[in-house]
Structures are given as C-alpha cells and as structure tokens.
Amino acid sequence: MISLYRRASADLARLRTAEASRDAIDELNRIVLLAHALIYHAAPPTRQSGIVQFLARDYPRTVRESWPFHLASFLIATLFAVLAFAQVQQDPFLIAAVMGGAEHEFVGQRTGADIRDRFLEADQPTLFSYVTTNNIRVALVAFALGITFGIGTVFILAVNGTMLGGFAGAYAQSGVGAEFWITVMPHGALELSAVVFAGGAGLMIGYSLWCPGRHTRLESLKRGGKKALIIICGLIPAFILAGLIEGFITPSAHLSDPIKLAIGGLAALVFWTHLLLGGRDQTDRTDPATDEDATNASAV
Amino acid sequence: MPEPLFMDLLTSIDLETPEQVELKLDLAGPASRFAAQMLDWLLQFIVIMVFVIVLVAADALHFMDMVDEMQGGVLMALTIAIVWVFLIFYGFLFEWLMHGRTPGKWLINLRVISESGGPPTVLALFLRNVLRFADFLPTVYMLGGIVCALNARHQRLGDMAAGTLVIREQAPDQRYMPAAAHDLPRAASSMADTSLTQEETQLLRRFFERRAELTDDARYRLARRLAEQLFRRHGGDHSLSDEKYLEALYQGVES
C-alpha cells in the first residue's frame, strides 16, 4: 500500500511537470489524496478506556484549570438573578414580561401546593426527557455563542439568571419562597451548577478571541474551543442525572422533602467532589510546554 | 493551459505531502454547502413526518391502548428523546458514521476533512456541529454563510474553531477505472527510457485514453496516421496492427 502510494505520488509529480492530460492529473490527484488520508491520518486505535479516562481525568482537570471563567459565569448569572428577584418583589407584573404573557399563571396568590401540582401533573418520563434535552440544548447554545466573543454566552446566562431570580421573586412575594426553593433544589443544585460551567466554557471561547496572547486569533480559538469542548462533553452526564432527578424524584408523591433534598444534595456532592478531586491522584502528566522547553534547552 | 471561465468561481488549495507532492483540494463554496444543508433539512423533515404519521396511525388503530398509562409516558419520553437527538446531533452523527458526510453532503459530493487533509477527529466533528448554533444566527445560517463567503478557505465559524474544511469530491473518472485502464499500456516505469519526445508520449497517451470512446473507423484512421508518422521517426517492428505498434512504442519495447 505504502509503496503503491509512493509510486502514485511520484507519478503525479511527474505528470504535473510533463503537463500531461488534465483529466489524468485530476484523477491521479483524487487517488493520491485518498491514499494520503489513509496513510498519514489512519484513525488511532480507539482505546476502550478512552471515555472513562476522559471523564475521570481530562474533564475535571480542564474545569479546574479554567476556574476563573466558571466564577465569572456564576457571577453573571447570579447578578441577573438577584436583580430580577429584587425587581419582581417590587412589581410582580414584571414576571409576565419574563414569561411572555402567561401572567395569569404567575401573578396573584399562590400556595405551596400550586408549585407542587405543577410538577405532579406532569407525566414523569416525559418531564425527564423534556427537561434533559432542553438543558443540554441551553448548555450547547451557551457554549456555541462563546464564538460571538462571549457576548451571546453572557446573554444566555443573563436570561437564565433572570428567569430563576424572577420566579423566586414572584413566589417569595406570594409568601411561598421556601416552598419554591425546596421544590427546585433537589435537581437545581446539580442543574444550575452544570449550566454555570457550560457558561464558563462559552466565556472561555470568548476570552480566547479577545485575548489570543502569543497566538493568532484563529489558533487561539482552536485551542480555547478544544478545551471548552472537553468541559461541555463532561457536563452531558451531569445534565442527564439532573434530568432524572427532576423527572422522577422532584415530582414523586412517595418521597418526603428531606429525602428529595438529600438525594439532590448527594448528586451535587458527587458532581463537585469529582470536579475538585478527579484526576488529581494520578501522577501528573508532564506539561507539554515545559517538556518542549526542556528539550530545546538541552539541544542548545 | 487555459482554464474554463467558471473555474474562477471554484477555489482550491494545495496540500503538500511529506513526499513534497502538492495535492489539490477543491473547496466547497457557501452555495453548494447551503444546498447540502437544504437536502439535510428535507430529509429531517421527511423522517420526522414519517415518525409522527406512524405514531398517529398507531394511536388511531388503538395500538397504544395495549400499553398502560405509565408505559405510554415512557413512549412519549422516548419519542421526545429520539426526535431531539435526531435533530440536534444529526450533523455530528452522520459526519461521524459516514466519514465526514451527511446525506445532503453525500448527494452533492461534499466531505468534511481536517485542515491537514485527513479525516477529522471525532472531537473536531462534534465541535463544528455544536458551533452550528452560532453559525445559524440570526437565522438560516446567515452568520455562517457570510463568514464562509468571505473566508479564503470557505470555512464557517465552526470549521475555523475545529480546524476542518469542506471539500468537493470528484467522482472517479470512468476512463481510469480498471476496465479503461486496461486500454492504457503500462508505461510508468519505462517512460524515461524511450526515445519518444515528451510531445509524442503525450499524444500517444491521449490516444490510449480515448480510443475506447472513438468509433471503429476514427480509431482505425487515427492509429494509422500516428503509426505512420512515428514509424518514420523511430522505426521498429510494424508488422502487427497499427495499435499494437503504438503500444509497443509507448511501452518502450522496441523489438
């Protein structure tokens, strides 16, 4: 195969110099191109441990390395949540603006039972499916819009922060704020964390465009995008877990509130522990940059 | 060699292999890429419609009555999940499983490759497809289309971040398929040895390339003319047919 490829590419070069028939050159070009892809870019053998190692090591490491972005993401979302909370306290009709005209549902007296009913009415597997797909979509969009120099990501974070703060404000105004948080927190602890990290990944892409450093903007985008993508891929299992809790635990009529909160808290604890500690115990791979520098130094 | 006028509209880039041979890649422009996208949309629409019709029909025929309420919920959840995965991960899944093509790209002969000329990594495919959300803005890929049209390599934002290109692939040239190659005498190894000039070699090559397409009469006359002229210059054994003589000349077997 390889010797055939060598001969074919040598022939191609010769045909070019000889200005042979254009069709022949094009055809040989096509063939050599295919062979080139096969020889130089053969797919690396897929490791069985690839995904496990990715989730266990690469993903938490990348998240830790990029903590300032996640902090920024958290602050942006929180800022808008607090603003919305305060505004809705003053003017309950504002929630209608957030929800697009569904004020009859959200304005006026509410009881704790109302909140629960909204969840209880729903068909559980459907709720799980809907919530999970929707959350993953929001995360993917927040990430993708990072390429608008981060502006789109900030917008998504602001919208989601405003929604949460607005609802919390509206329910608090009706005097059932505690009920609201008890209902939301079992799945929310995990779900909101994951959304914040997805926003952080989007901000990372935006930052790589604003401040490319020593690289060209394009090169910087590629690097930032790759790192941010690792975070997004790692978050997908977390969204599915959050969806499971929101679909089956939160609306469950059989479980008491403390048990629901305990399950949600446990899930969030696992998520955070993994992020903070995952991949630390193994011997750290040598940083490629320093490694390269060392080689250069020894060569000099 | 003068290029046809429309070639100006086609962009290509050169890729240098480690053997220092330049390979030409034809890049796909925004128009053909959008055409592929529309075909993909059409396919998505058809698949979802068929899916919905089957579900509605199953419901109308009281097929669903057999499953109790809870399982009905599971069915609904599965429907949402399947439709959603199909719509959101359509590009990624097909480009991954079909080696850089979606059905739309396959119909228009486009393929996603990495900037280095090989197949893109799975992560690169995922990245370029997630960034569709940004390229789609504000609607129907306006942002991606503009970026793609202005970019020298016709990359949309997702391609730039993932380091991928979309190229047009040429269909194999039938004349060089094994059947036609049979008509071309093996010459590669002995080309340099013959006393034929470069022009004569090219002339012969073209003749061999085309002889299968010629009418018997034209093929015979052309072979005769070529053989007469070349015999005058190079001599050799011309006792067999004209074409046999030309083949022998071309192969450098001057018996």
Side-chain angles (χ1 to χ4, degrees), chain A residues 8-293:
Chain A
S9 59
D11 284 350
L12 176 61
R14 206 174 325 158
L15 284 187
R16 286 243 171 85
T17 344
E19 293 195 354
S21 137
R22 183 169 189 91
D23 296 336
I25 294 181
D26 283 353
E27 175 66 4
L28 197 51
N29 184 76
R30 189 186 70 80
I31 293 168
V32 176
L33 200 57
L34 287 177
H36 171 79
L38 280 175
I39 290 173
Y40 287 102
H41 306 278
T46 38
R47 292 153 298 161
Q48 284 294 313
S49 61
I51 291 181
V52 176
Q53 181 169 320
F54 171 82
L55 283 178
R57 202 189 65 184
D58 299 348
Y59 155 67
R61 276 188 183 168
T62 312
V63 171
R64 284 199 300 272
E65 276 168 23
S66 54
W67 67 271
F69 299 108
H70 306 303
L71 181 62
S73 167
F74 172 74
L75 290 178
I76 292 166
T78 310
L79 172 71
F80 280 90
V82 169
L83 282 179
F85 185 85
Q87 284 294 313
V88 171
Q89 290 277 357
Q90 287 177 3
D91 180 5
F93 284 90
L94 269 180
I95 192 71
V98 178
M99 284 316 292
E103 63 260 41
H104 56 278
E105 231 183 297
F106 295 101
V107 180
Q109 283 304 308
R110 263 165 301 257
T111 62
D114 281 348
I115 309 169
R116 283 152 185 276
D117 285 348
R118 286 179 57 75
F119 276 100
L120 284 175
E121 278 165 18
D123 177 59
Q124 296 185 2
T126 311
L127 185 66
F128 155 65
S129 212
Y130 172 74
V131 160
T132 307
T133 53
N134 193 54
N135 284 337
I136 294 178
R137 198 183 57 84
V138 167
L140 291 181
V141 170
F143 163 79
L145 295 194
I147 208 164
T148 59
F149 285 74
I151 297 164
T153 303
V154 171
F155 178 74
I156 297 281
L157 285 171
V159 167
N160 282 283
T162 306
M163 298 259 276
L164 179 69
F167 279 124
Y171 286 113
Q173 215 249 342
S174 310
V176 287
E179 282 282 349
F180 172 78
W181 287 112
I182 287 171
T183 314
V184 166
M185 278 330 270
H187 58 269
L190 184 55
E191 186 179 299
L192 297 176
S193 305
V195 167
V196 163
F197 284 111
L203 292 179
M204 240 170 105
I205 294 187
Y207 177 80
S208 74
L209 286 168
W210 284 112
C211 308
R214 288 183 299 136
H215 306 289
T216 62
R217 246 171 253 283
L218 183 61
E219 184 57 33
S220 171
L221 168 67
K222 283 180 194 169
R223 287 160 184 258
K226 202 172 169 190
K227 272 183 150 186
L229 190 70
I230 294 174
I231 298 174
I232 290 295
C233 291
L235 286 175
I236 288 179
F239 278 115
I240 295 174
L241 181 58
L244 280 172
I245 296 175
E246 186 164 359
F248 297 104
I249 307 290
T250 304
S252 169
H254 309 296
L255 300 173
S256 64
D257 286 342
I259 292 179
K260 288 181 188 175
L261 285 172
I263 292 173
L266 186 67
L269 187 70
V270 169
F271 174 78
W272 280 94
T273 315
H274 175 52
L275 276 189
L276 294 176
L277 302 177
R280 264 193 211 279
D281 40 342
Q282 286 152 28
T283 43
D284 267 324
R285 58 190 166 174
T286 41
D287 186 0
T290 35
D291 215 353
E292 207 173 275
D293 288 348

Side-chain angles (χ1 to χ4, degrees), chain B residues 27-44 90 95 102-112 128 132 135-149 154-156 159 166-168:
Chain B
L27 296 170
S32 54
R33 293 180 60 165
F34 193 69
Q37 177 64 61
M38 288 206 287
L39 287 172
D40 284 329
W41 277 331
L42 188 66
L43 179 68
Q44 287 182 330
Y90 176 93
E95 282 171 12
T102 59
K105 289 192 176 73
W106 173 67
L107 284 170
I108 305 201
N109 268 328
L110 304 183
R111 192 190 288 275
V112 181
R128 79 182 290 280
R132 274 178 197 284
D135 277 305
F136 191 79
L137 290 175
T139 182
V140 292
Y141 289 101
M142 278 168 72
L143 181 60
I146 292 169
V147 172
C148 173
H154 289 328
Q155 290 171 299
R156 63 174 174 84
D159 288 321
V166 179
I167 56 160
R168 337 163 138 264

